[in-house]
Amino acid sequence: DSSVKMQMISDRPLGVFLSGGIDSSSILYFASKHSQSRVKTFSVGFDIPGEGEKFNADFNLARKTAEFFNADHHELFVSGKDVLENIEEAAYHMDEPISNHTQVVTMLLSKYAAKEVTVVLGGDGGDEIFGGYDRYRKSKIISAFQKLPAPVRKILSPLSEKLEMRGARRYLSFMAQKEENLKTAIKPGLLNYEKVENFFNERYFSGGNKDYENNFMLTDFKTWLADESLMRTDKMSMAHGLEERVPFLDRELIELGYSIPSKYKVCFFK
């Protein structure tokens, strides 16, 4: 509440990127609470013939959420043709080889929102702090498996090689591209998975943190969030002069989030 209130301070028009998820929906709730007028919200849907319903579940939920909070809601539909026509511009503004299929979509939504506002609030960081990604749930299952008696583990281990993975190896099994995929774009001599694993073990998994899932989230926070997620959203929004602010990444909120044991944040079942 206090983070959203503080980050709403602006002498320019402000809105919210609304995805339909709990992170941005929470931000909209508090923004509505502190706004003197209807909050402008912006969502993106996909114009895919015959499959729109499949890919627009979050988009439809965002529409209902905006209606519930009486927001001034704006919707943008993106087609395959739109992506094809704008992918070079997105690559230009990224300025470095960070590949994510949402780059063009984020850029087009930012361009659309910039017609109405200069500042937007986004839900970045909520998943990494409060355990929102499904990979944390799967890791929790692995952690529980590794506490089973050795004879039981021996019987079940053939079900998946991930079940016995620990430290950086488990983390990279979720987050790293497979070597055979990278060989199509990178010279084999430049690929050294052992060196990558050693780097992550020394940097992020050598502290003896017994709460593996919280450590998983913190590693995502220091790597994936900073070097991919925030880098992408910042560059794609600023490509059209739009400033995105991230209330979940308030320092006090971060410290609170990582002080909460993962057992209160990550469930075994969806």
Side-chain angles (χ1 to χ4, degrees), residues 168-180:
R169 178 159 296 190
R170 188 200 304 182
Y171 178 80
L172 293 171
S173 74
F174 286 102
M175 299 302 294
Q177 290 285 343
K178 289 183 170 56
E179 190 169 359
E180 56 266 28

Side-chain angles (χ1 to χ4, degrees), residues 116-185:
E116 296 282 337
V117 297
T118 308
V119 179
V120 290
L121 304 183
D124 309 60
D127 289 310
E128 292 84 357
I129 299 171
F130 295 103
Y133 291 130
D134 195 48
R135 54 182 178 262
Y136 306 140
R137 181 186 65 83
K138 293 176 180 176
S139 179
K140 186 181 182 74
I141 293 172
I142 295 173
S143 294
F145 169 84
Q146 292 178 355
K147 294 176 182 178
L148 294 174
V152 178
R153 296 209 320 269
K154 187 174 182 180
I155 295 171
L156 297 176
S157 289
L159 295 175
S160 172
E161 61 180 40
K162 279 190 178 184
L163 289 173
E164 293 291 353
M165 289 182 178
R166 304 171 188 271
R169 178 159 296 190
R170 188 200 304 182
Y171 178 80
L172 293 171
S173 74
F174 286 102
M175 299 302 294
Q177 290 285 343
K178 289 183 170 56
E179 190 169 359
E180 56 266 28
N181 295 337
L182 291 177
K183 284 180 179 177
T184 63

Side-chain angles (χ1 to χ4, degrees), residues 10-201:
S10 174
D11 57 2
R12 305 300 299 275
L14 179 143
V16 174
F17 275 163
L18 186 62
S19 67
I22 191 171
D23 299 334
S24 61
S25 297
S26 300
I27 289 172
L28 174 57
Y29 164 71
F30 290 113
S32 299
K33 176 181 174 182
H34 296 297
S35 179
Q36 301 300 315
S37 58
R38 296 172 68 200
V39 177
K40 292 181 182 292
T41 53
F42 303 89
S43 297
V44 63
F46 300 97
D47 182 10
I48 304 175
E51 296 190 81
E53 194 64 32
K54 175 182 176 182
F55 290 98
N56 285 319
D58 288 344
F59 172 79
N60 293 330
L61 184 57
R63 177 184 289 173
K64 293 178 181 179
T65 304
E67 182 180 350
F68 181 84
F69 289 111
N70 192 33
D72 181 6
H73 194 49
H74 300 74
E75 299 177 340
L76 174 69
F77 281 91
V78 174
S79 67
K81 182 173 180 289
D82 294 325
V83 173
L84 191 61
E85 291 177 348
N86 289 277
I87 193 168
E88 287 190 23
E89 183 183 353
Y92 170 81
H93 288 295
M94 278 307 303
D95 198 42
E96 59 183 289
I98 298 176
S99 176
N100 188 300
H101 61 279
T102 65
Q103 284 176 0
V104 179
V105 176
T106 304
M107 186 185 74
L108 292 175
L109 181 62
S110 297
K111 183 178 181 179
Y112 177 67
K115 297 175 183 178
E116 296 282 337
V117 297
T118 308
V119 179
V120 290
L121 304 183
D124 309 60
D127 289 310
E128 292 84 357
I129 299 171
F130 295 103
Y133 291 130
D134 195 48
R135 54 182 178 262
Y136 306 140
R137 181 186 65 83
K138 293 176 180 176
S139 179
K140 186 181 182 74
I141 293 172
I142 295 173
S143 294
F145 169 84
Q146 292 178 355
K147 294 176 182 178
L148 294 174
V152 178
R153 296 209 320 269
K154 187 174 182 180
I155 295 171
L156 297 176
S157 289
L159 295 175
S160 172
E161 61 180 40
K162 279 190 178 184
L163 289 173
E164 293 291 353
M165 289 182 178
R166 304 171 188 271
R169 178 159 296 190
R170 188 200 304 182
Y171 178 80
L172 293 171
S173 74
F174 286 102
M175 299 302 294
Q177 290 285 343
K178 289 183 170 56
E179 190 169 359
E180 56 266 28
N181 295 337
L182 291 177
K183 284 180 179 177
T184 63
I186 301 175
K187 289 183 178 181
L190 297 176
L191 295 174
N192 189 324
Y193 263 60
E194 183 179 352
K195 186 175 289 187
V196 173
E197 184 179 336
N198 290 338
F199 173 85
F200 272 84
N201 267 326

Side-chain angles (χ1 to χ4, degrees), residues 189-219:
L190 297 176
L191 295 174
N192 189 324
Y193 263 60
E194 183 179 352
K195 186 175 289 187
V196 173
E197 184 179 336
N198 290 338
F199 173 85
F200 272 84
N201 267 326
E202 293 170 7
R203 185 69 65 90
Y204 304 112
F205 292 92
S206 61
N209 190 337
K210 295 182 180 180
D211 189 337
Y212 186 91
E213 281 61 57
N214 246 356
N215 201 36
F216 194 155
M217 294 175 218
L218 186 59
T219 303

